[in-house]
Amino acid sequence: MHYEGLVARLRRGWASAAIVLAGLGLAGLAGNAAAQAEAGAAKKLDNATCLTCHDGNKGKLEVPTPAGKPRALHAVDPALFGKGVHRQMECVTCHVDIKDNADKANAHQKDPTAPLAKVDCATCHQELWDQTVKRGREDERPRLKTVATNIENYKKSFHARPNPDDKTKPNATCSQCHDTHSFAVPVNKASPENTQWRLSISERCGNCHTDQLDTYKESVHGQENAKKMLADAATCSDCHSAHKVANTSAAQFKVSLTGQCGNCHTRQYESYKETFHGAANTLGYAYTAKCQDCHGSHDIVRVENPASKVHPDNRLETCGTCHNPKKGLPPVSKGFVSFQPHAEPGNFQRYPQVTVASWGMTALLIGTFAFFWLHTGLWFYREWVERRARGGGHPHVRIDEIPAPLRGKQFQRFTPIWRIAHLMFALSVMVLATTGMPLFYPEVPWAHAIMNFFGGPKVTGLIHRTAAVVFASIFFWHLIYVVIKLGSQWRTWKIFGPYSMVPNLKDLHDCIGMFKWFFGMGPKPKIDRWAYWEKFDYWAPFWGVTIIGVSGLMMWLPSLVGQFLPGWVFNVATIFHSEEAFLAVVFLFTVHFFNNHFRPDKFPVDVVMFTGSMPLDEFKREHPLEYERMVQTGEIGKYLVEPPSKLRMKLSRLLGFTLIIIGLTILTLVAIGFFSDAAGRAPAGIVV
């Protein structure tokens, strides 16, 4: 209820009371009541009364001060006030220490040398919102809810902190940004009024930030707004926000600013997040390059402008601000100039190398998964059908099919050194996947958790590279071992023989035979020492190490590589490294796990790689050609061992289950990241 309405009601009440009293013969009392009503009306403080002095039409409105210098009082433009959001309020609603208007010369019954109390906008609006919440009417007043939210943000902002020059005052108050007497933010963002309001923001901020305003006016953002008068380009509140203004030197602000840029430059933001700089920033770490580090802040100009920090003539210097020995990084080299931090796979005209690399890796992934997932699905179906036909359980070879001297023995398939190598290989791959995938999917929650667990990108990167060295060491040790082994057997070893890992025609025939068996069109082919899927598992690390290893080494030593190769090779290396890692993780923890653990004849875990030996009947069933050849030649006796003890079997199963659980956990995290990334792709945005 407004003050004006309240006075009117009081006047009507006193008049009614006078009539009643007169009717009762109390005319004297009635006269006194009427006189008091008239006196109250004379002291009424409505807006019209205030504007008789504060309308600005009577020259300067000043009052004396003890210092002798007059203090100017505020003048209100009635026309602007009539359009503001406070137009229906009385002046005294906010200026609560003004009690009456009996003596203008005494400035509303106050010492004229003492200023009136500052109006507290925040307290007033917060009280109104608290009352609204108490009455359960929040949905009826959405604008008030926005104001309440802005108040909370302001209290935590840089503007609300004490001013360094005067600790009794904040850095900025509501009235410094909002003219409370004419404040009216246009609700319709598409309206000309809203455009004009946006265009005025930089000038309002510039009242305090004069140097920044002068620089902004010369920037591409300021020039766009000034030239087109459409306010399409960024203004102060777009980057700094309006009420959550933060200290620009704080890490949190630096990290969040890239997202503010991405609100307009969506395509550039999405491509930036594909780089190491962007991934670390998305994970919440501020030490990598961000938009403002490369492009500037208030002084941003177009890339083709010679003054731009990212102009080709200036890029080495710009990159060198971070990539220098003082910051613990090798110095920049000429390859940095042509690195594309916003390369878009698919835009062949602008980024042909990146597009070809992306298309090539996509084809490799689709081809590999299409074949082996089909192979896996059909294999599962055939074994499940046969398992159901025999009434369940694993298949067994009849005891009388194994010579009596061999019964109860196991065939040693892998020596201790190969089992250790396999375990180290598996562990290093799992560590590489765990520490590398957060950078591949930095926006999913588990990526933040993993990165924080390891202590941030720097520590995680060190662990990742250590695991890579272990992985590569095992790989190269294997190559040396193979070379030495072949050197000692060069007279008898056959490149396409049964003990060779080199694919041959029999592997092709076995593959075709397996598909016939899948569809019930023939018997299961007899496998020799190595099956074609085992050979694929063997050779996969060769191209995997080549692609992942070489690309990872290039990104590990960018300054050295950049001395000899152009910068776009880093874009290609990033695609090769991440996509091949994705292929390796998904293949290992789906196809490889199925082939060795999850198919019905093996489920739930096969421990041959942990014990080194397998039951003789299983060996005869899985590798019948090798078994028959060894029995005929008498060589099988060399490889027969006693079954592992119960304790060893339990430990082997425990190790196997542990590795399987870790692998499936990594696979689940990758699946979450993949589908979250696919669902969150942003639409095309501004192209610069």
Side-chain angles (χ1 to χ4, degrees):
M1 181 184 300
H2 297 304
Y3 184 85
E4 180 179 25
L6 179 60
V7 170
R9 291 190 179 187
L10 287 174
R11 292 179 63 187
R12 290 194 298 271
W14 280 115
S16 300
I19 295 172
V20 173
L21 291 172
L24 294 174
L26 301 175
L29 186 57
N32 289 338
Q36 292 180 22
E38 292 300 323
K43 295 181 180 181
K44 174 188 174 184
L45 283 175
D46 58 7
N47 289 353
T49 303
C50 297
L51 289 174
T52 58
C53 291
H54 291 276
D55 63 356
N57 294 326
K58 297 179 177 59
K60 289 184 177 180
L61 187 60
E62 298 177 335
V63 294
T65 63
K69 184 178 180 180
R71 180 170 58 84
L73 300 182
H74 197 86
V76 179
D77 186 333
L80 293 177
F81 179 77
K83 298 178 181 179
V85 295
H86 299 141
R87 59 185 176 273
Q88 295 180 345
M89 296 176 61
E90 297 290 348
C91 301
V92 292
T93 304
C94 296
H95 300 281
V96 293
D97 56 346
I98 300 176
K99 301 302 181 184
D100 62 51
N101 195 37
D103 189 356
K104 295 181 182 179
N106 287 329
H108 317 295
Q109 293 187 339
K110 285 182 66 71
D111 182 356
T113 63
L116 298 174
K118 291 289 185 182
V119 174
D120 188 353
C121 305
T123 300
C124 178
H125 285 92
Q126 188 63 53
E127 288 178 353
L128 289 173
W129 176 245
D130 291 341
Q131 293 174 9
T132 302
V133 173
K134 186 177 180 180
R135 295 169 183 167
R137 301 176 61 181
E138 300 95 323
D139 295 338
E140 300 176 16
R141 311 190 72 178
R143 288 291 296 273
L144 186 58
K145 180 179 181 180
T146 300
V147 173
T149 302
N150 290 340
I151 291 172
E152 289 300 314
N153 291 334
Y154 167 77
K155 290 178 179 178
K156 302 173 184 177
S157 73
F158 182 75
H159 279 164
R161 296 180 186 178
N163 189 287
D165 299 327
D166 185 353
K167 300 294 185 180
T168 64
K169 298 179 180 179
N171 285 316
T173 62
C174 304
S175 59
Q176 288 177 274
C177 299
H178 305 291
D179 185 341
T180 54
H181 296 97
S182 61
F183 179 65
V185 177
V187 178
N188 184 4
K189 294 185 177 182
S191 65
E193 292 79 11
N194 188 276
T195 297
Q196 292 304 312
W197 173 77
R198 272 184 55 81
L199 289 171
S200 68
I201 291 176
S202 59
E203 293 292 341
R204 285 199 299 275
C205 297
N207 289 332
C208 296
H209 305 281
T210 54
D211 293 340
Q212 289 84 351
L213 176 61
D214 292 338
T215 305
Y216 169 79
K217 286 181 177 179
E218 299 301 320
S219 72
V220 62
H221 292 148
Q223 290 290 317
E224 281 291 301
N225 284 337
K227 178 175 62 177
K228 297 181 180 179
M229 297 301 290
L230 295 176
D232 287 339
T235 189
C236 307
S237 59
D238 292 320
C239 300
H240 296 275
S241 80
H243 298 91
K244 294 191 292 185
V245 178
N247 187 342
T248 55
S249 62
Q252 184 177 2
F253 173 80
K254 293 179 179 179
V255 169
S256 64
L257 189 55
T258 56
Q260 300 292 345
C261 298
N263 288 333
C264 295
H265 304 278
T266 52
R267 285 170 56 181
Q268 288 79 5
Y269 182 48
E270 290 300 322
S271 57
Y272 164 75
K273 290 190 294 184
E274 297 296 324
T275 66
F276 172 74
H277 292 156
N281 183 85
T282 304
L283 286 165
Y285 298 90
Y287 68 86
T288 57
K290 297 162 289 298
C291 306
Q292 65 271 25
D293 295 320
C294 300
H295 295 274
S297 53
H298 300 101
D299 57 346
I300 297 175
V301 294
R302 294 190 180 277
V303 175
E304 60 268 18
N305 188 326
S308 171
K309 295 175 66 176
V310 290
H311 185 276
D313 295 341
N314 304 324
R315 287 181 188 173
L316 276 182
E317 181 181 354
T318 299
C319 296
T321 58
C322 294
H323 291 267
N324 62 71
K326 293 182 179 179
K327 293 192 175 183
L329 295 174
V332 294
S333 52
K334 60 182 180 180
F336 280 66
V337 174
S338 58
F339 172 68
Q340 299 293 339
H342 298 294
E344 302 172 29
N347 189 341
F348 183 82
Q349 184 176 1
R350 292 188 65 177
Y351 311 106
Q353 302 92 346
V354 174
T355 300
V356 171
S358 178
W359 287 349
M361 288 305 301
T362 300
L364 177 62
L365 264 66
I366 292 175
T368 302
F369 290 138
F371 176 81
F372 280 100
W373 283 350
L374 175 64
H375 187 276
T376 297
L378 294 174
W379 195 351
F380 174 85
Y381 172 75
R382 176 48 52 190
E383 284 199 0
W384 176 73
V385 170
E386 293 191 352
R387 180 188 180 92
R388 188 175 60 176
R390 64 174 177 263
H394 292 170
H396 294 282
V397 175
R398 288 175 54 184
I399 192 68
D400 56 3
E401 294 182 6
I402 298 177
L406 307 182
R407 296 172 188 170
K409 302 289 185 179
Q410 290 202 354
F411 179 80
Q412 185 177 35
R413 186 163 171 81
F414 300 106
T415 60
I417 193 169
W418 290 114
R419 301 201 302 274
I420 294 173
H422 173 270
L423 179 61
M424 296 301 295
F425 222 62
L427 292 175
S428 62
V429 167
M430 290 175 176
V431 172
L432 286 168
T434 303
T435 55
M437 285 300 169
L439 292 176
F440 200 28
Y441 300 116
E443 294 181 285
V444 295
W446 61 256
H448 297 258
I450 290 176
M451 198 62 73
N452 292 336
F453 174 80
F454 286 113
K458 292 182 178 180
V459 178
T460 307
L462 179 62
I463 297 173
H464 187 81
R465 289 187 288 272
T466 301
V469 170
V470 173
F471 183 93
S473 299
I474 297 171
F475 177 79
F476 286 113
W477 166 83
H478 168 74
L479 289 182
I480 295 172
Y481 176 87
V482 169
V483 170
I484 294 175
K485 193 74 172 178
L486 293 179
S488 63
Q489 298 178 355
W490 68 274
R491 293 179 181 274
T492 58
W493 185 77
K494 297 179 181 179
I495 188 171
F496 295 114
Y499 295 100
S500 172
M501 294 297 295
V502 179
N504 53 39
L505 285 177
K506 183 181 185 327
D507 295 315
L508 177 60
H509 294 154
D510 287 346
C511 182
I512 296 173
M514 282 289 284
F515 274 90
K516 290 182 177 180
W517 175 65
F518 292 156
F519 291 100
M521 300 171 61
K524 186 176 182 179
K526 291 185 175 183
I527 304 300
D528 209 317
R529 170 71 176 178
W530 304 111
Y532 63 87
W533 61 85
E534 291 175 323
K535 290 184 179 181
F536 184 89
D537 285 353
Y538 174 81
W539 287 105
F542 281 81
W543 84 57
V545 169
T546 302
I547 295 176
I548 297 179
V550 173
S551 60
L553 192 62
M554 291 170 60
M555 292 187 290
W556 191 354
L557 305 171
S559 293
L560 177 62
V561 175
Q563 293 179 11
F564 306 99
L565 298 175
W568 57 261
V569 300
F570 298 114
N571 298 104
V572 173
T574 301
I575 293 174
F576 280 173
H577 195 78
S578 58
E579 298 292 346
E580 178 61 29
F582 176 83
L583 172 61
V585 168
V586 176
F587 182 88
L588 284 172
F589 303 142
T590 57
V591 178
H592 180 72
F593 271 12
F594 172 81
N595 291 346
N596 294 277
H597 304 292
F598 295 159
R599 56 190 175 94
D601 287 353
K602 291 285 189 179
F603 188 81
V605 61
D606 184 11
V607 296
V608 63
M609 186 52 78
F610 309 118
T611 63
S613 62
M614 59 194 305
L616 202 59
D617 66 327
E618 181 180 349
F619 173 58
K620 183 179 187 300
R621 186 182 72 252
E622 295 287 337
H623 304 275
L625 291 184
E626 183 183 17
Y627 171 81
E628 293 170 3
R629 182 172 57 254
M630 284 191 162
V631 170
Q632 292 175 1
T633 60
E635 289 183 276
I636 196 168
K638 302 177 183 178
Y639 300 96
L640 294 181
V641 295
E642 294 296 326
S645 64
K646 292 183 178 180
L647 177 61
R648 187 176 175 185
M649 283 295 295
K650 288 182 178 179
L651 292 177
S652 297
R653 290 194 181 99
L654 177 62
L655 178 59
F657 279 125
T658 301
L659 293 177
I660 289 173
I661 290 172
I662 295 174
L664 293 180
T665 301
I666 294 173
L667 179 65
T668 301
L669 297 178
V670 170
I672 294 172
F674 176 82
F675 289 109
S676 299
D677 185 61
R681 291 293 182 182
I686 295 175
V687 179
V688 295

